[in-house]
Amino acid sequence: MFMSSEEYRESLRAYSPTVSINGRRVESVADDPDLQPGINAMGVTYDFALRNEYRPLMVATQHTSGKDVNRMLHIPTTTADLLAKLEAVRLLCQETGCAQRYLTGDGFNGLFQMTKRCDEDKGTEYHARFLDYMHHVQDNDLTTGIAMTDAKGDRSLRPHEQIVQGSYVKVTERKRDGIVINGVKAIVTSAPYMHEFLVLPCRNMTREDSDYAVACAVPLDAPGLTILARPAGRPGEKAAKFSGKYGQSLGALIFEDVFVPWDKVFLDGEYEHSEVLTRSYATHHRHTCIAARAGFGDLLIGASALMMEANGLNPGTTPHLKDRMVQLIKTVEGFYACGIAASTYGVSDPSGNMMPEPVYSNIGKLLMAEQIYDMHRLAHEVSGGLIVALPGPEEDHNPLAEATLAESLRGRADIPYEQRAEVARLVEDLTASKEAGWYSTISMHGGGSPEAMKLEIFRNYPIQDKVQLVEKLLDRGVLTKAGSAISDASQPGQCCDTGCTAPETPKVPDSKRA
Ligand SMILES: Cc1cc2nc3c(=O)[nH]c(=O)nc-3n(C[C@H](O)[C@H](O)[C@H](O)COP(=O)(O)OP(=O)(O)OC[C@H]3O[C@@H](n4cnc5c(N)ncnc54)[C@H](O)[C@@H]3O)c2cc1C
């Protein structure tokens, strides 16, 4: 079953969640004006799957059920699947800025890999249980939010060491028919307008943290769940050319004695598998984030070019503007190319899905996280200061100033003021509004802070192979007879002194690396 955007909106009416926005209780998520830009953006992921021209990108066959499902909910099994997801997410984000729904697929992939490993290691029955749940979501075209990032409290302490109760979501009771969870997940995209949440651990866990090693699914309106959310985008603001229509809400999820039946529990205390889940999810998600921000970059490139034109300048004939545009293009296509490489060199996971190659996924996400501010800077530089100085749309028809504005704030003679103002407001919306701050912060921290990517790059990169390369040219054991200690310590599975379990991702042959 594939829903349309209207059917998706309607489906939200079946839920009665406890949602508050800025201290105001939300009566109906589907109708709340503060949430419309988010619901609109999510709706695009539904409508595009119904359009014939987008079907090859937006619809995929789920190998475990044989059914066609929305690409945002799919488990990839080939490198072509990874590439198709990348293209689909870029397409969706060109339209919406951020399509949000891809989080579901990333969560599914993390759980797909972890449950399989955990069953083999511990004799649990999570994988079949998870497949049943995933098929239910896919078959009903639902969307699940990712509730992974805990409140975390004091970052220097492990979950069980925290002084403030609830800093990490934990199992507080195990009953005959399920578990009870308590705690706070602090940052959840689209929280008010998801059908369900995948509650996942956000880090590796030790034996003492066992009760925090929990993965499960919880409906939007589970008794005991409170969602404190922010408006999606800039609803109702006239100047918000883009984010008045499309935006993203974020919510904090407070779990107070929330009961989860066993058929929705996918990890319960097997602490050794927490890191596998976190890391698998992160690799898929960082790969997806690359495409999402490339779609946003496409909007920046287009809006900057239009602004220059409205100003009367042609980047093709103005050397320094051409240079800035090339920098912008290089940045966007540079990190996107890492997404393509991660897809092409995707690695088959023992669970049966296809993982994006981790080094390229993490480098792409890292480049994007560090360069998003340059992207905004370049758009500011070529556009000029008018983008933050333009009188508001209310002045457009102010009889005192309308004629003067139309004359004096015109750029190129044949482009009317209204059109120039339209583009300027779009550039402001994307680069200098509160929503622009959202885009930079999600690029920086969404999917993990840059440090997390650096750790993964170092952990997965075959430095030892490079050492051997050089040793072949020089004498083997050129430094010491025992070999290179640095390279040995950086290899997967040797990342920390507690001896965590690394996902068994085969290494990409060195010859394939650029
Ligand atoms: C717009 C947006 C949307 C998001 N959507 C979701 C979502 O849908 N679901 C979800 O689960 N999460 C989501 N996230 C959360 C995201 O994954 C986190 O922001 C990210 O993992 C960083 O965690 P944090 O924000 O708690 O920052 P912190 O962990 O507090 O990090 C802040 C800084 O401290 C450093 N640091 C943290 N701990 C340590 C330590 N122990 N030792 C040394 N340095 C440390 C970090 O490297 C970083 O530089 C979203 C984030 C954003 C910004």
Side-chain angles (χ1 to χ4, degrees):
M1 170 184 126
F2 286 96
M3 283 197 270
S4 66
S5 57
E6 265 320 299
E7 287 165 327
Y8 154 65
R9 186 186 301 274
E10 197 54 37
S11 71
L12 294 171
R13 296 186 204 284
Y15 297 79
S16 310
T18 305
V19 179
S20 174
I21 299 179
N22 295 338
R24 174 179 63 79
R25 178 74 194 265
V26 171
E27 292 303 323
S28 162
V29 162
D31 302 302
D32 196 278
D34 276 348
L35 298 176
Q36 293 316 300
I39 294 171
N40 292 342
M42 196 76 88
V44 172
T45 71
Y46 284 91
D47 284 341
F48 274 23
L50 296 174
R51 283 169 61 167
N52 277 338
E53 71 271 34
Y54 296 147
R55 196 177 164 85
L57 282 188
M58 289 299 305
V59 176
T61 305
Q62 174 60 38
H63 73 287
T64 47
S65 67
K67 292 185 186 167
D68 284 350
V69 303
N70 191 296
R71 179 80 66 186
M72 300 300 105
L73 314 178
H74 181 236
I75 301 289
T77 55
T78 63
T79 56
D81 274 343
L82 289 175
L83 202 52
K85 180 203 70 175
L86 204 72
E87 291 286 324
V89 170
R90 185 169 184 168
L91 174 77
L92 289 167
C93 295
Q94 286 170 345
E95 173 75 20
T96 62
C98 180
Q100 301 157 66
R101 197 178 181 201
Y102 48 69
L103 284 152
T104 305
D106 298 335
F108 279 174
N109 276 283
L111 282 166
F112 188 86
Q113 292 177 218
M114 181 281 292
T115 51
K116 185 86 177 175
R117 271 187 191 77
C118 188
D119 285 0
E120 283 167 9
D121 181 32
K122 301 278 178 188
T124 47
E125 294 172 353
Y126 292 135
H127 194 62
R129 193 186 281 178
F130 166 67
L131 286 185
D132 283 349
Y133 173 75
M134 181 182 74
H135 292 154
H136 164 76
V137 171
Q138 292 173 333
D139 296 349
N140 291 284
D141 212 12
L142 303 177
T143 303
T144 62
I146 298 298
M148 177 177 258
T149 305
D150 292 277
K152 295 197 277 194
D154 183 335
R155 269 57 175 166
S156 68
L157 301 176
R158 302 201 63 84
H160 75 276
E161 296 168 333
Q162 295 291 334
I163 292 143
V164 177
Q165 285 299 311
S167 299
Y168 284 81
V169 167
K170 73 184 280 195
V171 180
T172 49
E173 198 182 344
R174 291 180 176 84
K175 297 182 167 186
R176 193 183 40 79
D177 47 352
I179 58 173
V180 176
I181 57 173
N182 277 276
V184 174
K185 293 288 186 184
I187 311 180
V188 179
T189 293
S190 322
Y193 43 88
M194 293 289 190
H195 297 102
E196 303 234 343
F197 298 105
L198 295 175
V199 178
L200 309 174
C202 76
R203 57 172 299 162
N204 63 334
M205 301 285 177
T206 60
R207 186 182 300 280
E208 295 76 22
D209 299 317
S210 295
D211 287 339
Y212 301 88
V214 57
C216 57
V218 170
L220 174 68
D221 57 355
L225 174 60
T226 303
I227 301 170
L228 304 182
R230 294 164 67 106
R234 300 166 66 199
E237 287 184 48
K238 269 195 187 165
K241 297 306 307 176
F242 187 73
S243 57
K245 183 177 179 193
Y246 294 126
Q248 315 76 17
S249 174
L250 281 169
L253 268 53
I254 303 171
F255 294 86
E256 288 172 299
D257 292 331
V258 173
F259 173 74
V260 189
W262 286 120
D263 61 348
K264 288 189 171 186
V265 177
F266 314 122
L267 185 75
D268 173 27
E270 295 82 3
Y271 67 93
E272 307 94 322
H273 291 274
S274 182
E275 188 186 11
V276 175
L277 173 55
T278 310
R279 204 189 299 166
S280 309
Y281 164 78
T283 307
H284 285 279
H285 188 48
R286 289 169 193 166
H287 178 250
T288 311
C289 289
I290 291 170
R293 243 38 76 196
F296 176 72
D298 292 332
L299 294 175
L300 278 193
I301 293 168
S304 300
L306 281 175
M307 195 65 215
M308 284 182 271
E309 198 175 343
N311 289 347
L313 292 168
N314 178 352
T317 54
T318 316
H320 77 280
L321 294 180
K322 184 198 284 182
D323 174 81
R324 303 307 183 270
M325 282 305 277
V326 171
Q327 284 189 40
L328 195 49
I329 294 163
K330 175 199 75 178
T331 301
V332 174
E333 300 303 344
F335 65 70
Y336 192 68
C338 286
I340 297 173
S343 310
T344 311
Y345 296 152
V347 281
S348 294
D349 186 78
S351 62
N353 73 349
M354 184 63 70
M355 277 273 278
E357 195 283 320
V359 173
Y360 283 117
S361 293
N362 280 282
I363 291 179
K365 172 64 182 53
L366 181 62
L367 285 173
M368 179 255 276
E370 292 183 339
Q371 295 178 347
I372 183 74
Y373 301 92
D374 290 330
M375 290 161 65
H376 282 164
R377 171 180 62 77
L378 291 162
H380 290 166
E381 189 176 348
V382 300
S383 298
L386 189 72
I387 58 166
V388 295
L390 193 68
E394 294 77 8
E395 304 294 349
D396 287 356
H397 304 294
N398 180 344
L400 289 175
E402 188 179 357
T404 325
L405 268 185
E407 270 313 302
S408 59
L409 289 185
R410 184 197 285 253
R412 208 171 81 184
D414 61 336
I415 298 177
Y417 163 73
E418 292 76 21
Q419 262 86 323
R420 184 169 181 241
E422 186 105 338
V423 177
R425 288 185 185 124
L426 177 65
V427 178
E428 176 189 14
D429 202 10
L430 297 176
T431 68
S433 66
K434 90 169 173 51
E435 196 62 5
W438 183 94
Y439 280 109
S440 18
T441 314
I442 193 161
S443 304
M444 169 64 69
H445 278 299
S449 65
E451 198 54 29
M453 275 132 246
K454 289 176 189 170
L455 285 173
E456 282 298 279
I457 291 165
F458 194 73
R459 196 185 340 238
N460 284 288
Y461 196 79
I463 296 177
Q464 201 164 24
D465 294 354
K466 309 294 159 109
V467 168
Q468 282 168 6
L469 205 66
V470 175
E471 283 190 323
K472 253 192 265 166
L473 298 174
L474 303 171
D475 282 338
R476 185 163 294 279
V478 64
L479 293 185
T480 70
K481 291 288 168 239
S484 164
I486 298 170
S487 54
D488 285 348
S490 71
Q491 295 308 299
Q494 302 198 15
C495 49
C496 62
D497 44 10
T498 52
C500 52
T501 318
E504 301 146 22
T505 42
K507 277 193 292 178
V508 177
D510 200 43
S511 57
K512 283 191 179 174
R513 287 190 191 283

